[in-house]
Amino acid sequence: MIPKVEWAAFLEVADNLRLLQVPKGPVEGYEENKEFLRTTHHLLLEVEVMEGTLQGPESGHMFPISHGIPNMLLSEEETES
Amino acid sequence: MCDIEEATNQLLDVNLHENQSSVQVTESDLRSESELLVTIGATGPTGFEQTAADEVREKLGSSCKISRDRGKIYFVISVESLAQVHCLRSVDNLFVVVQEFQDYQFKQIKEEVLKDFEDLAGKLPWSNPLKVWKINASFKKKKAKRKKINQNLSKEKINNGQEVKINQRNVKKEFTSHALDSHILDYYENPAIKEEVSTLVGDDLASSKDETDEISKEETEPQVLKFRVTCNRAGEKHCFTSNEAARDFGGAVQDYFKWKADMTNFDVEVLLNIHDNEVIVGIALTEESLHRRNITHFGPTTLRSTLAYGMLRLCDPLPYDIIVDPMCGTGAIPIEGATEWTDCFHIAGDNNPLAVNRAANNIASLLTKSQIKEGKPSWGLPIDAVQWDICNLPLRTGSVDIIVTDLPFGKRMGSKKRNWNLYPACLREMSRVCTPTTGRAVLLTQDTKCFTKALSGMRHVWRKVDTVWVNVGGLRAAVYVLIRTPQAFVHPSEQDGEKGTLW
């Protein structure tokens, strides 16, 4: 999944979560780099936010995460344009 | 592979007659038991026979014959591949063919027809199929009983030992489970065809199926085998019922083998499938599915995993594809996806908190199971669950490669009236998040009228390339395969010069 990862967003999230040892981007020859692959796999698939909040980048709206599930339903006032 | 293809070709060309003695092409190829070739029949969702055939070719290297008996495919494999056959995701049930009659001549008088069936029992080439059955039974020896699972599962007894792939598949089925659909209805959809299904043993008449849990076959080699006969019959010109055929054929089988008849605790299930002039005698390798409808289900409309698999195959997923089910319900499709297409990322979303919770629980169970089974130091599955509104997806425009979902039919979930508004809104939002040109959507619905109308207004973004007709829970439904056109999505408000964002 490496080619599909948005590294800027990934790094920002990792920073918010205060994760350590986060690769700054796909390194040269990453397909063979076991260390890189293991770390990235871990961060992408094994780290899970169980409780928290997501904030919309443009609107600033807050979306809660509970038991690992984010609730992205918009409230009535949010959907009114 | 060469041998198998040869055998398959021979099988396809052979026209069998009832009086011909053992015509198993495979027997002439037999060199040693380990190189035994057998014909396997597999049943799956009607409409997805080609998909199943593709999977067989891909995973087993065999080509398939698709039977007129809809929902069935036949292929030849070497008996060593038997375990792998149970790994097929597009089929529900497997059996080994004892003999196939393509143009069986039924006599006109019932007594004579039934006498023919009785005589048939002793003339069939049972020995190789029984060998296969035996090998297959050894896979199942330590299978756990299927239990009714509550919502927060992952309390499965996971067996040790020869955890052959069968168990994995069966347990997985419990997770993704099945809809309340009757499997038998999938065989014969046309109400004009008189259809009957009966399972009889000895002199007993067919009674209502044992709807409770499956019986595990935990006995060690029994002295006397127990059996039952299940007969599926369809066709207008038969002068007998499936009850009668099963009874008399079963009686003869009992006399021939000296087996004991037992309806519920059987070792061998003999299948007698009759479709017009085609008769196939087989031995089941999986438990026949009449009782499948009471197997645990998580939600009111859970899709069966074989159908989910078939739909995913239609999407033709490529590595790194982002695959989204925006109305996932209990997550049957993404979960199937995460197990088979591990190099893609699967997102399961629904607006209903109950559904999302169930999906998340199913994912959690899958995770636990994969950890236990594989004992890998690392774990983690490429799948996640979100609660969202299909009409306002928190996904960037053009970021999704594949959308695959089971649209509310409007029968058990939602309503027809609601669909008139919902379908166009869904298609629109889906077209926004789906990548132009390369993106695709595979959508299942029973409300085909509403869907067709909704689609007709979206030709600038969606192009229909295929329709597969299926049977879901006794209802005729369609799976639409759509390709996203190259046209970029234009937000209505952008057209007016405004730019609004909800996120």
Side-chain angles (χ1 to χ4, degrees):
Chain A
M1 293 308 304
I2 310 284
K4 286 275 170 80
V5 174
E6 278 284 333
W7 283 95
F10 178 56
L11 289 173
E12 192 180 328
V13 172
D15 194 50
N16 285 347
L17 296 176
R18 291 190 252 281
L19 297 172
L20 302 172
Q21 294 179 323
V22 181
K24 297 286 177 248
V27 301
E28 187 81 22
Y30 70 83
E31 296 94 334
E32 315 301 322
N33 189 329
K34 288 215 166 89
E35 187 63 43
F36 174 84
L37 290 174
R38 203 195 326 269
T39 312
T40 318
H41 172 94
H42 170 72
L43 293 169
L44 284 175
L45 299 187
E46 296 174 8
V47 176
E48 173 115 13
V49 176
M50 295 306 290
E51 303 293 325
T53 317
L54 288 172
Q55 182 168 35
E58 292 185 37
S59 64
H61 290 137
M62 308 293 269
F63 300 94
I65 302 175
S66 176
H67 299 303
I69 304 170
N71 183 340
M72 313 291 297
L73 293 174
L74 298 169
S75 68
E76 286 289 311
E77 56 210 26
E78 285 162 344
T79 50
E80 271 165 28
S81 46
Chain B
M1 284 304 123
C2 200
D3 291 332
I4 294 174
E5 280 184 13
E6 244 175 52
T8 313
N9 290 336
Q10 284 174 319
L11 196 66
L12 293 176
D13 291 342
V14 164
N15 221 340
L16 306 171
H17 300 287
E18 59 169 298
N19 290 325
Q20 216 165 343
S21 58
S22 171
V23 289
Q24 283 283 346
V25 168
T26 57
E27 298 215 324
S28 64
D29 287 340
L30 180 60
R31 281 181 282 276
S32 67
E33 202 159 295
S34 64
E35 293 176 59
L36 182 59
L37 297 176
V38 289
T39 306
I40 302 287
T43 60
T46 327
F48 279 92
E49 296 86 354
Q50 188 55 53
T51 311
D54 291 342
E55 190 192 9
V56 168
R57 179 184 285 285
E58 180 189 296
K59 294 188 179 167
L60 301 172
S62 304
S63 52
C64 292
K65 180 178 112 177
I66 293 177
S67 170
R68 245 177 20 200
D69 250 19
R70 295 185 302 162
K72 284 203 177 88
I73 59 169
Y74 297 93
F75 53 94
V76 178
I77 50 151
S78 123
V79 96
E80 296 168 316
S81 308
L82 193 59
Q84 285 158 265
V85 173
H86 283 280
C87 291
L88 293 172
R89 307 294 301 173
S90 53
V91 296
D92 295 299
N93 283 304
L94 299 165
F95 57 94
V96 51
V97 174
V98 175
Q99 189 153 1
E100 174 193 6
F101 301 93
Q102 292 201 337
D103 194 23
Y104 189 95
Q105 298 302 314
F106 289 101
K107 304 243 167 68
Q108 297 304 317
I109 300 173
K110 189 200 298 197
E111 283 69 28
E112 291 182 22
V113 173
L114 295 177
K115 177 82 175 51
D116 281 348
F117 279 137
E118 285 178 20
D119 294 341
L120 190 61
K123 295 189 206 158
L124 295 170
W126 295 100
S127 83
N128 282 338
L130 281 173
K131 281 185 193 145
V132 174
W133 169 83
K134 196 165 164 194
I135 296 171
N136 191 70
S138 69
F139 293 158
K140 289 186 185 177
K141 248 185 192 159
K142 293 175 187 174
K143 187 179 107 172
K145 280 191 191 197
R146 288 201 200 174
K147 305 188 236 296
K148 279 208 190 267
I149 309 176
N150 55 28
Q151 284 191 1
N152 299 317
L153 53 96
S154 74
K155 292 179 174 71
E156 241 75 43
K157 216 170 50 166
I158 310 268
N159 287 322
N160 305 319
Q162 326 147 278
E163 245 319 292
V164 186
K165 292 160 197 178
I166 295 181
N167 297 343
Q168 168 193 337
R169 172 167 164 76
N170 285 334
V171 180
K172 271 188 197 154
K173 271 197 192 157
E174 287 162 308
F175 290 129
T176 54
S177 196
H178 306 281
L180 301 171
D181 57 326
S182 163
H183 185 78
I184 298 301
L185 278 178
D186 286 5
Y187 289 7
Y188 307 113
E189 292 168 17
N190 186 345
I193 299 177
K194 261 171 48 174
E195 55 169 89
E196 295 178 64
V197 178
S198 306
T199 295
L200 293 177
V201 164
D203 295 336
D204 303 324
L205 290 177
S207 59
S208 62
K209 257 324 162 42
D210 175 25
E211 308 253 37
T212 56
D213 306 338
E214 311 248 326
I215 314 289
S216 71
K217 299 183 177 34
E218 285 171 322
E219 310 141 28
T220 48
E221 285 306 313
Q223 294 295 78
V224 173
L225 288 179
K226 294 185 274 196
F227 84 106
R228 75 175 190 191
V229 173
T230 301
C231 177
N232 294 326
R233 188 199 63 75
E236 291 175 333
K237 301 198 180 121
H238 302 139
C239 59
F240 59 94
T241 65
S242 59
N243 261 5
E244 292 163 339
R247 179 196 64 210
D248 289 3
F249 184 67
V253 166
Q254 183 169 30
D255 291 339
Y256 183 75
F257 286 107
K258 312 292 179 232
W259 287 338
K260 187 170 173 324
D262 193 324
M263 177 99 108
T264 52
N265 238 326
F266 52 91
D267 304 302
V268 181
E269 179 166 25
V270 176
L271 306 169
L272 181 58
N273 292 335
I274 304 170
H275 187 107
D276 291 325
N277 281 356
E278 186 183 79
V279 174
I280 300 185
V281 181
I283 298 178
L285 298 175
T286 54
E287 271 117 41
E288 268 309 280
S289 60
L290 257 192
H291 31 271
R292 210 176 267 282
R293 67 174 76 116
N294 276 2
I295 296 291
T296 60
H297 57 276
F298 293 116
T301 60
T302 301
L303 199 68
R304 75 181 148 139
S305 58
T306 48
L307 191 47
Y309 178 85
M311 287 174 67
L312 281 160
R313 266 198 93 98
L314 286 178
C315 303
D316 189 25
L318 298 169
Y320 314 138
D321 273 349
I322 308 282
I323 305 180
V324 172
D325 182 347
M327 293 184 274
C328 67
T330 52
I333 299 175
I335 283 176
E336 188 65 28
T339 19
E340 280 294 304
W341 287 273
T342 52
D343 49 8
C344 299
F345 196 86
H346 306 265
I347 305 180
D350 203 290
N351 63 348
N352 183 328
L354 288 176
V356 188
N357 278 326
R358 283 194 193 112
N361 283 337
N362 288 342
I363 294 170
S365 306
L366 195 62
L367 258 174
T368 312
K369 223 189 68 55
S370 82
Q371 277 174 271
I372 292 172
K373 181 177 82 74
E374 299 179 27
K376 289 199 291 219
S378 77
W379 46 279
L381 291 170
I383 178 171
D384 228 325
V386 184
Q387 185 178 3
W388 64 30
D389 175 4
I390 173 98
C391 300
N392 285 295
L393 294 172
L395 299 168
R396 285 173 305 156
T397 301
S399 59
V400 174
D401 298 290
I402 295 174
I403 296 178
V404 51
T405 195
D406 177 3
L407 292 165
F409 285 11
K411 280 218 158 18
R412 286 191 217 125
M413 204 48 108
S415 69
K416 284 280 165 71
K417 191 161 154 209
R418 194 169 144 249
N419 286 352
W420 286 107
N421 290 325
L422 182 64
Y423 280 21
C426 286
L427 281 172
R428 201 174 310 122
E429 184 71 345
M430 287 192 223
S431 75
R432 178 184 72 78
V433 301
C434 200
T435 316
T437 314
T438 56
R440 48 254 190 245
V442 172
L443 311 171
L444 169 67
T445 180
Q446 190 256 340
D447 199 346
T448 53
K449 188 163 150 200
C450 183
F451 185 85
T452 312
K453 175 135 201 308
L455 189 60
S456 65
M458 312 246 25
R459 285 201 234 278
H460 54 295
V461 285
W462 289 116
R463 184 167 60 91
K464 181 173 74 168
V465 297
D466 200 3
T467 309
V468 179
W469 294 95
V470 299
N471 183 301
V472 180
L475 303 171
R476 187 157 149 86
V479 175
Y480 295 98
V481 183
L482 310 176
I483 304 262
R484 181 69 177 79
T485 65
Q487 166 139 7
F489 181 84
V490 180
H491 197 282
S493 66
E494 280 169 357
Q495 281 177 325
D496 299 338
E498 297 167 21
K499 194 168 189 281
T501 177
L502 300 167
W503 305 104

